[in-house]
Amino acid sequence: MADGSGIEWTEATWNPTTGCDRISLGCDNCYALTLAKRLKAMGNSKYQSDGDPRTSGPGFAITEHPSALDIPHRWSAPRLIFVDSMSDLFHARVSASFIQDVFQVMEDTPRHTYQLLTKRPKRAATLAEVLPWPSNVWLGVSVETTAQLWRLDELRRVPAATRFVSAEPLLGSLAGLDLSGMHWLIAGGESGPKHRALDPDWVRELRDECGEQHVAFFFKQWGGRTPKAAGRELDGRVWNEMPAPTRA
């Protein structure tokens, strides 16, 4: 966990689970996979189990951390919290009972706003009826190319009060994107030594779609060798639109 975050659209991170498996193009250069390998070498106890080398890697096996469930209770001041920045809560190897435990914590701490991002919205939709969906829980899906548009349809089946799209890393045009039922879109380029180039027109298409469909638009970064390498400006301004945090 981190109280404070370098991610522009959140304020803290909370990882009740760690680890994941690559399942689509956006996973090819996964920052979390690289970081997990480093954390394992440093002896971090949360990253000592290895994932399948074909889809995961050192320190990146799906692992539940019951000891982390109490962390949001300890934060007295309201925060925007990105849940599982180092995992996917709806991964098939995260037990349904543990997912329920995580949701119970979020329901019990309405002062915080929780941002969950998944590449597995089918499981989220399947479990939706056995989970509480308080207004302080946001759910989003990653959409990197048109091949992932089906994730939006699954997300629409989930009764989250706020739904969002993360088009990061954006790897192709999403012109004409249907944002019905969505409240927020984050766009961004890839970073790291193997980063893939971001076409400015792909970003402009999404900005314009958000404007036409009344969806908040957030441009996170152009990407490059480092996340901050090319800055965040698009057509002369920084785009920081987002829904208002839902806090009791």
Side-chain angles (χ1 to χ4, degrees), residues 9 13 15 51 81 86 98 113 119 152 181 209 246:
W9 45 263
T13 57
N15 283 285
I81 301 174
M86 294 292 291
F98 193 76
T113 299
K119 289 182 172 69
L152 285 171
E209 289 292 351
T246 308

Side-chain angles (χ1 to χ4, degrees), residues 17-131:
T17 71
T18 54
C20 202
D21 289 278
R22 290 171 288 186
I23 59 170
S24 63
L25 286 174
C27 303
D28 288 353
N29 300 316
C30 178
Y31 77 90
L33 177 60
T34 301
L35 180 56
K37 181 179 180 180
R38 188 181 314 145
L39 290 169
K40 176 179 179 172
M42 293 168 59
N44 188 303
S45 61
K46 293 180 74 172
Y47 300 92
Q48 294 305 307
S49 296
D50 295 344
D52 187 326
R54 297 168 298 179
T55 57
S56 184
F60 211 48
I62 283 287
T63 309
E64 298 173 2
H65 300 284
S67 63
L69 290 173
D70 189 51
I71 289 170
H73 289 281
R74 299 181 216 154
W75 290 337
S76 57
R79 289 161 171 78
L80 272 171
I81 301 174
F82 179 19
V83 182
D84 275 351
S85 61
M86 294 292 291
S87 188
D88 188 329
L89 187 63
F90 292 103
H91 193 288
R93 288 198 293 276
V94 180
S95 68
S97 61
F98 193 76
I99 294 172
Q100 289 176 312
D101 290 343
V102 171
F103 268 71
Q104 190 62 57
V105 171
M106 296 189 291
E107 185 178 39
D108 291 344
T109 52
R111 64 186 175 275
H112 301 314
T113 299
Y114 294 92
Q115 303 157 310
L116 285 77
L117 183 60
T118 185
K119 289 182 172 69
R120 297 164 174 85
K122 285 186 178 180
R123 188 163 191 230
T126 299
L127 293 174
E129 64 180 18
V130 299
L131 298 172

